[in-house]
Amino acid sequence: MNTVKMVMGCLGSVVLAMVLALQTQNALAAETKIAVLDMKEVLSTSTAGKKAQGIIERKMKSLQASFKNDETALVNLQSDMEKKGAAWSDSVKREKAAEFQQKRRNLAEKQEEANSELKKLRELHVNPILKKLEDIVGEVASSGGYSVVLPRNVVLYSATSVDITSTVIAELNKVMK
């Protein structure tokens, strides 16, 4: 979800600059109507968002469980090295240190692979939702007469009357059953 936050933050900055430019140009013309949208809420409460989040969370828990044995073995080896290290010969110390480093590298590789797998899973399940959201937000904004829709996380204040989150969630639920 950090990717979504980063993208929305960048989009919000660009949109905000566009709004300021539009307001300057249209100061004498018609009023610019602005809406806000809470993307986090859309993704966490819509049916499609909940489904995607559930899939990702289940995979994350599964991956974390698979790391548990490796992490325990690493902690136990470190504990043995601290407790028994003084009694070991230099060659045993080097052997245990090399074993510890190898286990730590293996765990780091597994975690990196897991992060990559989770990223692909997010792309597979969240990106279609985001693509559909673009269309839905455009439709809701157009039908509501909004010139601009800003992400809620870049707006310091907005009246609840300009928040289109619930409308977008309802439309997303209709479209992505």
Side-chain angles (χ1 to χ4, degrees), residues 1-13 38-40 43 130 151 153-154:
M1 296 294 173
N2 288 335
T3 305
V4 173
K5 287 182 185 176
M6 188 171 63
V7 168
M8 293 310 297
C10 290
L11 286 174
S13 298
D38 188 337
M39 285 296 293
K40 185 177 178 182
L43 292 174
L130 294 176
N153 64 331
V154 298

Side-chain angles (χ1 to χ4, degrees), residues 23-85:
Q23 284 183 338
T24 305
Q25 288 178 344
N26 296 332
L28 300 176
E31 180 181 321
T32 302
K33 195 170 175 188
I34 300 172
V36 293
L37 176 67
D38 188 337
M39 285 296 293
K40 185 177 178 182
E41 185 178 341
V42 170
L43 292 174
S44 67
T45 61
S46 67
T47 305
K50 285 179 186 178
K51 182 179 176 185
Q53 190 174 359
I55 291 168
I56 293 166
E57 284 179 6
R58 281 191 296 278
K59 186 62 175 180
M60 190 181 332
K61 286 179 183 177
S62 166
L63 291 169
Q64 286 173 342
S66 73
F67 297 145
K68 194 67 175 163
N69 290 338
D70 293 337
E71 290 170 347
T72 302
L74 198 59
V75 168
N76 290 341
L77 181 57
Q78 183 178 14
S79 177
D80 279 353
M81 289 170 60
E82 290 170 358
K83 291 177 184 175
K84 301 174 185 175

Side-chain angles (χ1 to χ4, degrees), residues 136-152:
I136 291 170
V137 169
E139 291 169 9
V140 170
S142 179
S143 68
Y146 296 102
S147 304
V148 178
V149 177
L150 296 173
R152 178 70 185 108

Side-chain angles (χ1 to χ4, degrees), residues 35-173:
V36 293
L37 176 67
D38 188 337
M39 285 296 293
K40 185 177 178 182
E41 185 178 341
V42 170
L43 292 174
S44 67
T45 61
S46 67
T47 305
K50 285 179 186 178
K51 182 179 176 185
Q53 190 174 359
I55 291 168
I56 293 166
E57 284 179 6
R58 281 191 296 278
K59 186 62 175 180
M60 190 181 332
K61 286 179 183 177
S62 166
L63 291 169
Q64 286 173 342
S66 73
F67 297 145
K68 194 67 175 163
N69 290 338
D70 293 337
E71 290 170 347
T72 302
L74 198 59
V75 168
N76 290 341
L77 181 57
Q78 183 178 14
S79 177
D80 279 353
M81 289 170 60
E82 290 170 358
K83 291 177 184 175
K84 301 174 185 175
W88 290 340
S89 68
D90 286 343
S91 64
V92 171
K93 287 180 186 177
R94 281 191 300 275
E95 180 183 310
K96 293 293 183 178
E99 180 184 348
F100 180 80
Q101 292 300 326
Q102 183 61 44
K103 285 184 179 205
R104 190 168 67 178
R105 275 193 300 273
N106 290 345
L107 180 59
E109 285 175 14
K110 275 183 161 180
Q111 288 172 332
E112 194 172 308
E113 288 171 12
N115 285 336
S116 176
E117 190 174 340
L118 287 173
K119 182 181 177 186
K120 287 178 186 173
L121 204 56
R122 281 187 194 99
E123 289 172 359
L124 179 67
H125 293 283
V126 175
N127 284 359
I129 298 170
L130 294 176
K131 179 65 181 146
K132 194 53 88 173
L133 267 175
E134 286 179 38
D135 299 334
I136 291 170
V137 169
E139 291 169 9
V140 170
S142 179
S143 68
Y146 296 102
S147 304
V148 178
V149 177
L150 296 173
R152 178 70 185 108
N153 64 331
V154 298
V155 176
L156 294 176
Y157 171 79
S158 66
T160 55
S161 62
V162 298
D163 189 330
I164 61 171
T165 304
S166 59
T167 306
V168 169
I169 291 170
E171 289 299 315
L172 181 64
N173 286 343

